[in-house]
Amino acid sequence: MFELALDPMTWGLLCLVALAAGFIDAVAGGGGMLTVPALLTAGLPPHLTLGTNKLAASFGSITASITYYKKQLFNPRFWAASVLATAIGSILGTLLVDKLSIDFLNKLLPIIIIFVACYSLFGSLSPTESHTLPANSNTLKVKQWVQGLCLGFFDGLAGPGTGTFWTASNSLLYKMSLLLNCGLARSMNFVSNFISLITFVALGHVNFILGVTMGIFLMFGAWLGAHSAIKFGSKLIKPLFNTIVIILAGKLIVEAYLT
């Protein structure tokens, strides 16, 4: 069993990172790109890092998703297929994380991120300003299942950047406002975080004390981020989203190809 021994300064820095990650994740996704490297740098083994990060991230994602729900920017019944597909994908991804090499994924991921970055820079994250849900159809259900399974699986297998993928893929798949996009992205991120967390707990890959501590700061950051997104809308969301995507792409390229 891994024994965690962190000095107070390192613990405090991890909590500050969690605060910033919660704010970023609630607005644009990608908060895990801050917390995962920070936990690894602090000396946690990779699998314990992923599990502990899921615990902390669940605090932040549930805070953001509840905020969007209360503002009527997320309809659980309408997105029920997405919820179920994301949960199934997350379980499968987490169960496989100990079994599969992710070297190929590490090589492929930067390419996907660059595509997302180009789309976010030259495309539109918000096809409409109207807070109207997409038309309910069989095609919509297929989109929900494919998107949920893929992104849930990715979140269970790796994690960082999942919220960013949700935000970008929502804009490609559904015609709805940016705030509805964010409400769906943050809520689905909570689903995959929580389901993956349960699986990590069963596998024994979670440090509860550190995860809860960081989770409290993530929760506060997520509350600030969600309210800021609702107040400032696309003026805040799109620039921050673009910035996070570009940083994410650069970081993954360096790690996958230059180290």
Side-chain angles (χ1 to χ4, degrees):
M1 184 70 178
F2 179 78
E3 295 293 333
L4 180 67
L6 297 178
D7 62 88
M9 180 173 291
T10 301
W11 203 297
L13 287 173
L14 287 174
C15 289
L16 289 177
V17 169
L19 178 67
F23 183 92
I24 291 171
D25 211 41
V27 176
M33 295 309 298
L34 295 178
T35 53
V36 169
L39 286 167
L40 289 171
T41 302
L44 271 73
H47 292 102
L48 191 62
T49 288
L50 292 174
T52 302
N53 182 65
K54 290 299 181 192
L55 175 57
S58 294
F59 279 79
S61 57
I62 192 174
T63 302
S65 61
I66 288 174
T67 302
Y68 283 109
Y69 173 74
K70 286 183 176 179
K71 298 293 184 178
Q72 298 184 333
L73 295 170
F74 175 68
N75 185 333
R77 181 173 295 180
F78 184 86
W79 297 107
S82 295
V83 172
L84 182 57
T86 301
I88 293 172
S90 180
I91 292 172
L92 295 175
T94 307
L95 289 174
L96 287 174
V97 74
D98 283 331
K99 308 296 183 183
L100 298 179
S101 168
I102 60 172
D103 182 64
F104 175 74
L105 181 63
N106 287 336
K107 299 290 185 182
L108 180 64
L109 191 56
I111 299 172
I112 299 173
I113 291 284
I114 290 172
F115 172 78
V116 175
C118 291
Y119 178 82
S120 66
L121 285 172
F122 301 109
S124 172
L125 281 176
S126 179
T128 177
E129 290 299 322
S130 174
H131 295 327
T132 303
L133 290 169
N136 204 338
S137 64
N138 291 331
T139 301
L140 175 69
K141 290 294 187 290
V142 172
K143 290 179 180 179
Q144 289 177 321
W145 272 97
V146 173
Q147 182 190 32
L149 284 171
C150 291
L151 294 182
F153 180 84
F154 173 76
D155 199 16
L157 185 65
T162 305
T164 305
F165 285 134
W166 270 106
T167 305
S169 60
N170 286 344
S171 68
L172 287 168
L173 295 174
Y174 314 117
K175 185 179 180 181
M176 59 186 182
S177 71
L178 192 50
L179 284 177
L180 284 176
N181 180 334
C182 287
L184 173 61
R186 303 294 79 76
S187 299
M188 291 304 98
N189 210 11
F190 167 68
V191 171
S192 56
N193 276 337
F194 184 70
I195 297 299
S196 180
L197 168 62
I198 294 174
T199 312
F200 271 119
V201 169
L203 294 171
H205 295 321
V206 178
N207 184 287
F208 289 95
I209 297 176
L210 180 59
V212 170
T213 305
M214 292 180 67
I216 292 171
F217 282 84
L218 258 162
M219 184 181 291
F220 181 55
W223 182 86
L224 289 174
H227 281 82
S228 297
I230 292 168
K231 181 177 181 180
F232 297 107
S234 59
K235 291 181 179 179
L236 172 66
I237 297 172
K238 188 165 184 178
L240 186 56
F241 177 81
N242 290 338
T243 301
I244 295 300
V245 168
I246 293 169
I247 293 173
L248 178 59
K251 179 180 183 298
L252 292 174
I253 288 171
V254 169
E255 290 180 348
Y257 295 99
L258 301 179
T259 59

